Amino acid sequence: MTGKDFILVASNEEGQQTQYEADGDIGCCGYVLMGFSYILVALFFPFSLCLTIKVVQEYERAVIFRLGRVLPGGAKGPGLFFILPCIDDFKKVDMRTLTYDVPPQEILTKDSVTVAVDAVIFIRIFDATMATVNVSDAYQSTRLLASTTLRNVLGTRNMSELLTDREAIASNMQGLLDEATDPWGVKVERVEIKDVRLPIQLQRAMAAEAEASREARAKVVAAEGEQKASRALKEAADIMTESPAAIQLRYLQTLNSIAAEKNSTIIFPLPIDLIASFGTQKRDVTQF
């Protein structure tokens, strides 16, 4: 660094200090122009105040350039600040958080599945001087970087991870973007994966797989129900076998339920044991 250079230290709202190398000597012509500028302000006072007094809003900062060099002290604002006519120029920088939709990206995942993924990022400028001096368009550069980072990060993940680990992917993207945009004075506050669109053929295959899995579970549940019902019928049959009167009561209960249906024909099943007993009595009478 030559003897004409100095280190410009600017402090942002978060208390962080940023150093810039600048040329501190504006030369003889520069000082002469500054003198003429002060003379013009004095001669046309108070009308010259319309050109020297500027105002920036609470959410804005102004980076002042004097003869093409950044003034020491960092960005000005919010509120009033003064510039010299003819030799000073300034640029307003919006410090609010902006939202940007990353365009859908056609990505080939690690397991060779093509998916379309779109995301949204929340960014803001934390150092107006860095965002003005170090990059031509801080927001546009961050948007393009977000698109490429999205493709690079998702290209290393499987399709199942894209559907289940969105928070981890978003956190990884935020860390990479924040590290890359820090020299630009841009802070990436949040990254969210909005949607993951699968191909139609893959959606149909996944739907068929899910349907087959549900049918398999339904058959297992039905089989378990049949097994439990069979056990209950076996227990009921064992109880009725121990008490013959229970069978007659069950017949009467069945007749009562059938009679309520307004049927013209009622079939009454007779117990096989009763028919067998009648056959035995007939043989006994014949022998007698």
Side-chain angles (χ1 to χ4, degrees):
M1 188 168 62
T2 63
K4 296 183 180 180
D5 296 338
F6 69 95
I7 300 298
L8 173 63
V9 179
S11 299
N12 55 27
E13 294 180 345
E14 300 175 354
Q16 300 175 349
Q17 290 186 347
T18 308
Q19 295 183 351
Y20 310 93
E21 292 185 0
D23 192 352
D25 190 1
I26 60 176
C28 296
C29 293
Y31 288 113
V32 171
L33 291 175
M34 285 182 60
F36 277 114
S37 180
Y38 282 115
I39 292 173
L40 288 175
V41 172
L43 289 177
F44 294 97
F45 186 84
F47 301 102
S48 60
L49 295 179
C50 297
L51 299 176
T52 58
I53 297 179
K54 302 295 180 180
V55 180
V56 290
Q57 304 297 328
E58 180 68 29
Y59 54 85
E60 294 178 331
R61 298 296 182 270
V63 181
I64 302 176
F65 297 90
R66 178 162 295 171
L67 296 176
R69 297 175 175 85
V70 179
L71 285 184
K76 307 299 181 181
L80 292 173
F81 65 94
F82 295 88
I83 62 173
L84 294 177
C86 301
I87 64 173
D88 284 354
D89 189 15
F90 71 96
K91 181 178 180 180
K92 291 183 180 180
V93 179
D94 196 334
M95 307 293 288
R96 292 176 293 182
T97 299
L98 299 182
T99 305
Y100 172 66
D101 289 328
V102 180
Q105 304 292 317
E106 293 288 340
I107 299 169
L108 184 65
T109 61
K110 188 177 180 180
D111 50 354
S112 301
V113 177
T114 302
V115 295
V117 183
D118 55 351
V120 58
I121 60 174
F122 300 85
I123 57 178
R124 67 178 179 87
I125 293 177
F126 68 86
D127 193 312
T129 307
M130 294 175 64
T132 304
V133 175
N134 294 348
V135 63
S136 60
D137 191 339
Y139 289 121
Q140 182 65 20
S141 300
T142 304
R143 294 168 184 172
L144 295 177
L145 182 62
S147 300
T148 57
T149 304
L150 179 64
R151 298 178 65 90
N152 294 336
V153 171
L154 298 185
T156 60
R157 303 298 183 101
N158 295 325
M159 185 193 66
S160 59
E161 295 177 352
L162 297 183
L163 301 176
T164 58
D165 296 339
R166 293 190 180 185
E167 294 183 0
I169 296 174
S171 178
N172 188 17
M173 282 189 58
Q174 179 181 355
L176 294 176
L177 288 174
D178 197 22
E179 181 180 359
T181 58
D182 188 69
W184 301 342
V186 178
K187 173 68 176 178
V188 180
E189 294 184 337
R190 192 177 182 87
V191 177
E192 292 292 341
I193 304 297
K194 290 178 60 178
D195 190 17
V196 179
R197 292 187 292 275
L198 304 176
I200 301 299
Q201 296 82 359
L202 184 59
Q203 293 181 14
R204 293 175 179 174
M206 294 178 64
E209 181 181 0
E211 184 178 359
S213 178
R214 288 194 297 268
E215 289 180 357
R217 289 196 299 269
K219 291 180 180 179
V220 171
V221 172
E224 291 178 354
E226 292 291 340
Q227 184 179 9
K228 293 180 180 179
S230 300
R231 291 178 180 176
L233 290 174
K234 180 179 180 300
E235 293 176 359
D238 294 338
I239 295 173
M240 289 183 179
T241 302
E242 296 175 357
S243 177
I247 299 177
Q248 301 298 329
L249 293 175
R250 183 59 181 168
Y251 285 155
L252 295 176
Q253 185 179 4
T254 303
L255 285 175
N256 186 23
S257 60
I258 292 175
E261 297 295 332
K262 297 181 180 180
N263 293 327
S264 59
T265 303
I266 296 177
I267 301 175
F268 179 69
L270 294 176
I272 298 177
D273 296 339
L274 181 62
I275 298 175
S277 63
F278 280 125
T280 304
Q281 291 178 1
K282 183 177 181 181
R283 286 195 300 269
D284 293 339
V285 172
T286 303
Q287 292 176 359
F288 178 76

